[in-house]
């Protein structure tokens, strides 16, 4: 098989695909149901995938329910993103032992064996590309992230059941798979439970060559088109991205920031579930034996101390912190990394306890472009 | 750490971007006003090369790491100097590191003052407040040398807290002796102080530089840089010829942790030195950014 | 609305004892502005084109800095004037001015005012003398505050 080829995998073929990846030494991880949500865990076969599960998402709301339908991927996204597989939520960067005679520094191994992701949504594939640019595309790449990304195998699964909070078409990230996937599957049920497969890379081609598959027929290809067109039509909302970076950049004093701050709890849930948020805190710890460690853990720009400088935070108000998050995600990310930081996955809407919807916030600012929260001038 | 301590570490080429290189403190100088200048030399290999205005991330092992501007001149023989103000746990530990002690170094990072970009023969005006002189110290040294070799005038305006807290007083005197125009003012005087009292911008009217042909550098507390830059512009300096050094919370120094963002900039990568005209002028006025 | 401005100005402390006609000249260049509590009347860096006579509450003079938040440098009022930078070049606000309570202020356009005072030098002299006394008072107060009289001796 070659890059760009398409094929059909029968339902049983998915088990064989996962088994092949395992036999090649990959840790196969994919979506599993746990604690009332679809999260990530080890999958040894299709039986571990969320068969018959469907999610209902709205700003501030997430519910799972299961029925008799055979779909393994009849849901959108869960709170976990693939960020945590490659950008560790917590890790030790280096250890140094300090004695009277010497300082010896060592770095723990970053990689834990190559990972094969079974079921990354197109928005998530885009999100990994965004993270790659942030963490590997600069003058000082994060070698720990790079070590984990290197050799990872990505099986994308196109969306057939978007949630009401999804808006990937607005961001150009879905519902069809694009970018750096090794294989992209589309689950088809009518006319036989099977998967339309796109080969994205040489590595993907090599794996597919080992898994029984057949050529596509017109019915397979048009069934896939139907799934994608249907998904796009059912997409939950849109984000108007026309001059969005400029719109936010010129509305830093907009009254909407204070308005959203009355609702925002500054809890940071959005940054936790966002597949592209990358802020981290670095701290050094030591013990009495003279060993010191530098640790890094996920942080959030909603933390009050995130911007601490000269005795206090630069952004002491919720309004200033919400503004920082939204303008970074949709505006200054362009200045810093030449693309948008948002992939339209909708997680920040679903997992916000008060249901703040950034598509609505951006629209409100656009509707009153130029409004300023300052004095009201009355004609004399 | 005793004077005979040995330091081992992987060669820089094999170290991750977040692992410090052990350096030894080979000199200390107490500058006053809670400021200590540390002279650092690597135990292994060549000292790092850097440009004026860049910074290193210095590690006090077991305490933490912090961004400190390099205050010596690039190309000057000998150790690399950092002037550290004791204001917190990490800076306290760094300031107390004795000669022979170990400090971790990662760097150099950030943009630089780019003194080589200055038009030949143009005047250079340096406006600094307090320890803001440290990141410009190496640049001023080199500019004073160039002036001796026929370059434009060098004008150093320094605002300090009080007469007993004038940092780098010997450097200021040496530059004055070498032909630079050096003026110092203090915010609060003490009995017997014959010099100027008032903020640093009050020194500008008596500074005879050509605003139409000059480059200006300002470094110090942000409020001081705002007022200094505006005063320079009022005097006729092209805003794009003024460079300032911006500061935000910094934790990785290499554009990965997100803390040093200031609007569109990641200061460890796009700063700390930025032009005033078109960049800092706008950012200074964005409150809580 | 013009009546309200006239009433405010006639009763305003800053203008008491000034020559006949001062209130009228100011009123010609004035408009009323309302401020909610916490709103800025003036922003540091803006063109200084307005001279505020505030009534009846206080305004704080502030400057913002990263990490320090807002330094409150001074307070003005009640019933006094806000803004000095309009009176001389470079005509640029040096500080922020923030309303501490909801209020109505009479905002005098300074370009209009300077033009009127140019036509009426006697009135101009009287007004600027009054302004000078405000300035002198605030400068004296600022200098004495520099002494930090209530601080510890060891800090001085």
């Amino acid at each position: 098989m070659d890059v760009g080829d398409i094929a059909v995998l029968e339902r049983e073929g998915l088990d064989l695909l996962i088994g092949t990846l395992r036999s090649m030494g990959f840790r196969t991880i994919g979506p599993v149901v746990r604690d009332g949500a679809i999260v990530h865990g080890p999958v040894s076969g299709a039986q571990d995938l969320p068969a018959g599960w469907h999610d209902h998402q709205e700003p501030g709301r997430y519910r799972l329910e299961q029925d008799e339908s055979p779909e393994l991927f009849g849901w959108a996204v869960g709170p976990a993103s693939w960020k945590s597989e490659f950008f560790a939520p917590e890790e030790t960067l280096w250890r140094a032992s300090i004695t009277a005679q010497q300082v010896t520094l060592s770095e723990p191994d970053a990689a834990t064996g190559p990972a094969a992701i079974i079921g990354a949504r197109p928005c998530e594939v885009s999100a990994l590309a965004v993270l790659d640019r942030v963490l590997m595309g600069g003058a000082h790449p994060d070698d720990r992230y790079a070590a984990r990304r290197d050799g990872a195998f990505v099986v994308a699964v196109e969306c057939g059941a978007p949630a009401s909070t999804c808006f990937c078409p607005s961001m150009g990230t879905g519902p069809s798979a694009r970018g750096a996937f090794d294989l992209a599957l589309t689950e088809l049920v009518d006319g036989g439970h099977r998967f339309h497969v796109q080969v994205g890379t040489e590595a993907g081609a090599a794996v597919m060559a080992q898994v029984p598959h057949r050529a596509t027929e017109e019915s397979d290809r048009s069934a896939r088109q139907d799934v994608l067109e249907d998904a796009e039509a059912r997409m939950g909302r849109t984000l108007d991205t026309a001059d969005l970076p400029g719109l936010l950049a010129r509305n830093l004093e907009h009254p909407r920031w204070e308005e959203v701050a009355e609702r925002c709890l500054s809890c940071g849930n959005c940054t936790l579930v966002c597949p592209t948020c990358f802020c981290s805190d670095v701290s050094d710890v030591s013990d009495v034996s003279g060993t010191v460690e530098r640790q890094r853990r996920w942080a959030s720009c909603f933390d009050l101390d995130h911007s601490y400088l000269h005795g206090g935070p630069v952004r002491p108000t919720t309004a200033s912190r919400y503004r920082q998050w939204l303008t970074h995600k949709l505006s200054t990310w362009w200045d810093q990394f030449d693309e948008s930081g948002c992939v339209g996955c909708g997680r920040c809407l679903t997992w916000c306890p008060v249901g703040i919807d950034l598509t609505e916030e951006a629209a409100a600012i656009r509707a009153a472009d130029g409004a300023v929260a300052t004095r009201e001038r009355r004609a004399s | 750490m005793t004077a005979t301590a040995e330091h081992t570490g992987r060669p820089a080429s094999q170290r991750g971007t977040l692992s410090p290189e052990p350096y030894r403190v080979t000199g200390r100088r107490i500058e006053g006003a809670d400021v200590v200048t540390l002279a650092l030399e690597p135990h292994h290999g060549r000292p790092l090369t850097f440009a004026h205005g860049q910074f290193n991330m210095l590690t006090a092992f077991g305490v933490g790491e912090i961004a400190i501007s390099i205050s010596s001149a690039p190309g000057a023989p000998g150790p690399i100097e950092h002037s550290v103000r004791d204001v917190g746990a990490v800076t306290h530990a760094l300031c107390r590191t004795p000669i022979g002690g170990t400090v971790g170094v990662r760097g150099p990072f950030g943009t630089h003052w780019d003194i080589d970009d200055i038009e030949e023969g143009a005047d250079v005006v340096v406006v600094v407040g307090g320890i803001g002189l440290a990141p410009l110290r190496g640049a001023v040294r080199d500019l004073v040398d160039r002036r001796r070799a026929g370059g434009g005038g060098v004008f150093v305006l320094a605002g300090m807290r009080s007469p007993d807290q004038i940092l780098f007083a010997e450097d200021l005197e040496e530059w004055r002796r070498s032909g630079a125009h050096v003026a110092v003012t203090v915010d609060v005087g003490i009995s017997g102080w014959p010099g100027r009292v008032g903020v640093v911008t009050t020194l500008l009217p008596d500074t005879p530089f050509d605003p139409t042909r000059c480059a200006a550098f300002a470094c110090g507390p942000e409020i001081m840089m705002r007022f200094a830059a505006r005063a320079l512009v009022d005097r006729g300096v092209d805003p794009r010829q003024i460079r300032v050094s911006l500061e935000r919370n910094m934790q990785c120094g290499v554009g990965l942790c997100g803390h040093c963002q200031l609007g569109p900039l990641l200061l460890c990568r796009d700063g700390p030195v930025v032009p005033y005209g078109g960049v800092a002028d706008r950012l200074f006025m964005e409150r809580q950014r | 609305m013009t009546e309200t401005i006239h009433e405010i100005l006639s009763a305003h402390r800053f203008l008491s004892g000034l020559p006949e006609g001062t209130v009228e000249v100011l009123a010609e260049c004035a408009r009323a502005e309302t401020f909610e509590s916490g709103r800025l009347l003036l922003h540091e860096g803006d063109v200084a084109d307005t001279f505020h006579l505030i009534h009846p509450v206080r305004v704080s003079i502030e400057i913002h800095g990263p990490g320090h938040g807002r330094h409150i440098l001074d307070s003005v009022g009640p019933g006094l004037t806000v803004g000095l930078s309009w009176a001389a070049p470079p005509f640029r606000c040096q500080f922020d001015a923030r309303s501490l309570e909801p209020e109505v202020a009479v905002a005098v356009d300074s370009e209009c005012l300077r033009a009127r005072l140019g036509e009426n030098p006697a009135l101009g002299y009287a007004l600027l003398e009054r302004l000078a006394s405000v300035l002198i008072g605030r400068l004296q107060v600022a200098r004495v505050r520099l002494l930090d009289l209530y601080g510890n001796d060891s800090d001085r």
Side-chain angles (χ1 to χ4, degrees), chain A residues 101-103 107 281 317 323, chain B residues 6 8 10 19 259 288:
Chain A
Q101 273 69 50
Q102 59 189 12
V103 174
E107 295 166 6
D281 282 344
T317 61
R323 180 184 70 181
Chain B
E6 263 190 29
T8 63
R10 294 195 297 164
S19 292
H259 281 268
Q288 299 186 14

Side-chain angles (χ1 to χ4, degrees), chain B residues 127-282:
Chain B
V127 185
V128 294
I131 197 173
L133 178 47
L136 275 164
R137 187 162 159 259
V140 175
R141 263 195 192 162
D142 286 350
L143 287 166
V144 167
D145 284 345
R146 283 186 203 186
R147 188 199 160 277
R148 258 197 245 109
V154 177
F155 303 82
V156 180
L157 308 181
M160 298 288 169
R161 191 169 187 222
S162 63
D164 55 344
Q165 297 182 49
I166 296 179
L167 297 168
F168 310 113
E170 290 101 39
D171 292 294
L172 291 165
E173 191 46 46
E174 193 197 308
W175 297 334
R176 186 181 282 128
R177 278 198 306 267
S178 301
H181 170 110
V182 176
V184 175
T185 184
V186 295
D187 278 355
V188 182
I190 55 175
S191 168
W193 167 249
R196 300 280 292 254
V197 178
V199 297
V200 70
T201 46
T202 60
L203 297 173
L204 266 171
D206 295 329
T207 309
F209 67 97
D210 178 1
T212 63
R213 215 173 151 233
C214 89
F217 304 104
C219 188
E222 193 169 299
I223 292 171
M224 175 240 131
M225 289 191 291
R226 286 201 314 248
F227 279 78
R230 285 194 207 119
L232 287 164
V233 171
D234 287 344
R235 178 73 176 268
V237 179
D238 178 351
R240 291 161 305 171
Q241 291 301 323
I242 302 170
R243 275 164 234 168
V244 297
S245 183
L246 301 175
E247 193 184 354
R248 284 296 185 270
N249 183 301
M250 224 177 243
Q251 295 196 19
C252 73
V254 288
L256 300 176
C257 74
H259 281 268
C260 68
Q261 284 179 74
L262 171 47
L265 308 179
L266 284 167
L267 288 186
C268 65
R269 180 192 77 174
D270 309 317
V273 177
V274 301
Y276 175 70
V279 182
D281 54 358
R282 201 172 18 92

Side-chain angles (χ1 to χ4, degrees), chain B residues 161 164 187-188 190 221-223 226-227 230-231 233-234 247-248 283-289, chain C residues 40 42-46 63-66 68 70-71 90 92-96 98 146 155-156:
Chain B
R161 191 169 187 222
D164 55 344
D187 278 355
V188 182
I190 55 175
E222 193 169 299
I223 292 171
R226 286 201 314 248
F227 279 78
R230 285 194 207 119
V233 171
D234 287 344
E247 193 184 354
R248 284 296 185 270
L283 293 172
F284 279 158
M285 285 296 92
E286 291 166 2
R287 291 164 179 74
Q288 299 186 14
R289 193 95 198 267
Chain C
L40 292 182
L42 302 172
H43 291 75
E44 176 192 339
D46 281 357
I63 193 163
H64 71 96
H68 307 291
R70 303 193 313 232
H71 299 274
R92 186 176 53 236
C93 295
Q94 304 291 5
F95 304 99
D96 294 338
R98 186 182 303 275
L146 274 176
D155 290 342
R156 264 193 283 280

Side-chain angles (χ1 to χ4, degrees), chain C:
Chain C
M1 197 46 61
T2 316
E3 287 77 22
T4 311
I5 290 175
H6 204 276
E7 279 166 12
I8 293 173
L9 291 176
S10 302
H12 205 281
R13 262 203 279 170
F14 178 75
L15 299 176
S16 82
L18 286 186
E20 200 67 44
T22 306
V23 167
E24 281 70 26
V25 164
L26 262 67
E28 277 170 40
C29 299
R31 61 186 181 275
E33 289 186 351
T34 55
F35 299 93
E36 293 159 22
S37 169
R39 288 278 173 241
L40 292 182
L41 283 75
L42 302 172
H43 291 75
E44 176 192 339
D46 281 357
V47 171
D49 59 5
T50 312
F51 170 40
H52 286 89
L53 291 98
I54 57 173
H55 159 84
V57 298
R58 280 177 307 119
V59 166
S60 72
I61 308 299
E62 306 176 348
I63 193 163
H64 71 96
H68 307 291
R70 303 193 313 232
H71 299 274
I72 296 175
L73 301 168
D74 212 344
S75 75
V76 174
L80 292 178
T81 61
V82 172
L84 298 165
S85 301
W86 61 270
F91 303 115
R92 186 176 53 236
C93 295
Q94 304 291 5
F95 304 99
D96 294 338
R98 186 182 303 275
S99 180
L100 295 176
E101 295 168 45
E103 65 166 298
V104 177
V106 172
V108 179
D109 181 289
S110 58
E111 230 182 283
C112 170
L113 179 62
R114 275 199 302 276
R116 293 281 182 287
L117 296 180
E119 295 158 11
N120 193 335
L123 210 135
Y125 177 81
L127 192 64
L128 287 176
E129 193 184 24
R130 180 62 54 89
L131 197 68
S133 83
V134 168
L135 248 169
I136 290 164
R138 291 186 192 171
L139 179 60
Q140 286 170 344
V141 163
R143 282 172 167 167
V144 172
R145 284 170 57 201
L146 274 176
L147 288 169
D148 191 19
L149 292 170
Y150 316 131
N152 288 326
D153 287 338
S154 56
D155 290 342
R156 264 193 283 280

Side-chain angles (χ1 to χ4, degrees), chain A residues 94 98 101-103 107 143 278-282 294 306 308 310 314-315 317 320 323-324 328 336, chain B residues 1 6 8 10 16-19 59 61 64-65 247 249 251 256-257 259 261 263-264 269 287-289:
Chain A
W94 51 260
I98 305 181
Q101 273 69 50
Q102 59 189 12
V103 174
E107 295 166 6
D143 46 280
F278 63 88
C279 283
S280 60
D281 282 344
V282 180
R294 177 158 298 163
H306 181 88
Y308 183 90
H310 301 314
V314 174
R315 296 185 279 264
T317 61
S320 62
R323 180 184 70 181
Q324 163 61 26
H328 187 212
Q336 295 169 12
Chain B
M1 258 351 100
E6 263 190 29
T8 63
R10 294 195 297 164
T17 195
L18 297 167
S19 292
T59 295
F61 283 100
E65 191 184 44
E247 193 184 354
N249 183 301
Q251 295 196 19
L256 300 176
C257 74
H259 281 268
Q261 284 179 74
R269 180 192 77 174
R287 291 164 179 74
Q288 299 186 14
R289 193 95 198 267

